[in-house]
Amino acid sequence: MSKSQYTDPSFEQLFANIDPKVANTFTVEQLEAIKRGLDSRARKRHFLDIRLSVPIPGLSFYLVLLAGSERRSKMRLRSERSLYPFWTPGNILFFIGFLIILSICTYTIFSSVLSSLTPTSSSYYPTSIPWIEDKSECEHTGRIWNHGKCWDSEQSPNF
């Protein structure tokens, strides 16, 4: 039986890494056993499964985020914890960057929401208009001339 009859990507990837001299010695039963072993390890769908290739010029970079119910044994968890420690310099830098971006976004959203909820003052305060120095020009614009200055009684502090 030839390996081309197996179209499973995991099997193809495994088989591609085996020396062709060795791969040609496998019997049909051995190939079937390998296939069954890979099928039993088949990935089950995660509740959250995000896989992205990040286009950074000059770098081949990807990001994977998986979440779901824990199905690994305690022994496997212990061995993976030593193989893949959580607190590495790369992970720490990622989390610091993530927290900075999250903080900036949260601040921006809350300040926008808060400013839209804060009522603007509808009170008006009289204010002198310094560029109008003539009584007739002041009264022509609908303002009041008082004590040698042009006063606008409808000036809003939000102006």
Side-chain angles (χ1 to χ4, degrees):
M1 179 177 279
S2 69
K3 77 171 182 78
S4 62
Q5 290 176 320
Y6 295 94
T7 58
D8 178 43
S10 298
F11 181 81
E12 292 293 330
Q13 185 178 11
L14 173 70
F15 213 83
N17 291 325
I18 297 174
D19 183 346
K21 292 177 187 174
V22 174
N24 290 332
T25 65
F26 286 137
T27 66
V28 173
E29 292 80 18
Q30 289 171 328
L31 291 172
E32 288 294 329
I34 292 170
K35 177 82 165 101
R36 278 192 307 276
L38 288 174
D39 285 345
S40 70
R41 291 187 47 175
R43 292 187 181 136
K44 302 199 172 50
R45 299 295 294 169
H46 292 85
F47 174 74
L48 178 67
D49 189 343
I50 300 172
R51 298 164 193 260
L52 299 171
S53 290
V54 182
I56 298 176
L59 292 175
S60 181
F61 185 74
Y62 69 95
L63 177 69
V64 176
L65 180 60
L66 300 173
S69 60
E70 183 63 74
R71 290 179 236 149
R72 297 174 291 180
S73 68
K74 292 194 184 298
M75 190 170 82
R76 181 176 168 198
L77 286 171
R78 276 193 299 269
S79 69
E80 285 184 358
R81 196 172 295 134
S82 63
L83 287 173
Y84 308 107
F86 186 76
W87 294 112
T88 63
N91 290 354
I92 291 169
L93 288 174
F94 172 80
F95 280 111
I96 289 171
F98 176 76
L99 290 174
I100 289 171
I101 291 170
L102 183 65
S103 300
I104 291 169
C105 292
T106 302
Y107 173 78
T108 304
I109 290 169
F110 280 129
S111 64
S112 296
V113 169
L114 191 61
S115 68
S116 69
L117 295 177
T118 305
T120 55
S121 175
S122 60
S123 304
Y124 295 101
Y125 303 94
T127 305
S128 71
I129 310 298
W131 58 86
I132 299 178
E133 299 174 357
D134 180 68
K135 179 180 179 179
S136 63
E137 184 181 352
C138 176
E139 291 173 347
H140 175 70
T141 60
R143 297 180 175 103
I144 300 168
W145 186 262
N146 191 10
H147 300 292
K149 293 184 178 181
C150 183
W151 292 90
D152 185 352
S153 61
E154 296 183 3
Q155 191 68 31
S156 170
N158 297 324
F159 176 66

